[in-house]
Amino acid sequence: MILINLLPHREIARKQRKDVFNISLGLAALAGILVAALVYLWFQTQIRAQQDQNQILQVEIKKFDDQIKDIGNLEAEIAALRARQQAVEDLQADRNMPVHLLTELVRQLPEGTYINSMRQDGENVSLLGVAQSNERVSELLRNLSGGSDWLTRPELIEIVSGNVTLAPKDQRRVANFNIRVKLVRTSEAEKAKAAAAAAMAASAAAASPAVAGSAPRAK
């Protein structure tokens, strides 16, 4: 007996292949979604780890900023303490400045020159006085300019001619002057003295070989 298949086997096979393809496509899409989900979760884990590290770094940076601020405050306090210490040392060193001022004025005043008033403003000293002539004032300026370790940079502010009555019939012409001079601080004066002493010692040391070389030899 001969059997003849009258069913549409080609369509059925085609439908089966199409179903298999759709199932494979669905499985591939599902696998892609799963891989994408896994990659997304991995990236999210890395991002959270980096954010945690960033937060830790921010905390440490804030600690360092606080420490730097504390160091800055300490440096400011140290600078203020040093300034106070320097001010105290300057006051202790400069307590004898009035004595040096009066002593130097007595030494540097030429004959025929008199001081009527004196005013000190910090390191600046104003001298008002009378001299027998303008030459006496010039001599005073020269003395103050180069002959004193405690007074420097004299400046003639004003000089005015005037008359002084010594007796009813004895009037003399004088020069009223106003001089401003700078009072050298004790620390600066000591440095200048040390430098001058060192220069003198160097000069003496340089002159000693020359003197020894020029001395006659004993026969």
Side-chain angles (χ1 to χ4, degrees), residues 43-58:
F43 276 115
Q44 289 296 322
T45 302
Q46 295 296 322
I47 290 172
R48 282 195 296 271
Q50 188 63 42
Q51 289 177 347
D52 294 338
Q53 291 180 0
N54 292 340
Q55 187 174 2
I56 294 173
L57 289 175
Q58 291 293 332

Side-chain angles (χ1 to χ4, degrees), residues 12 53 64 79 81 99 103 106 110 122 140 142 172 174 179 193 203 216:
I12 293 173
Q53 291 180 0
F64 280 121
L81 290 175
V99 177
T103 302
V106 172
L140 175 60
R142 287 193 300 269
R172 295 186 182 180
V174 295
I179 294 177
K193 289 181 179 180
S203 299

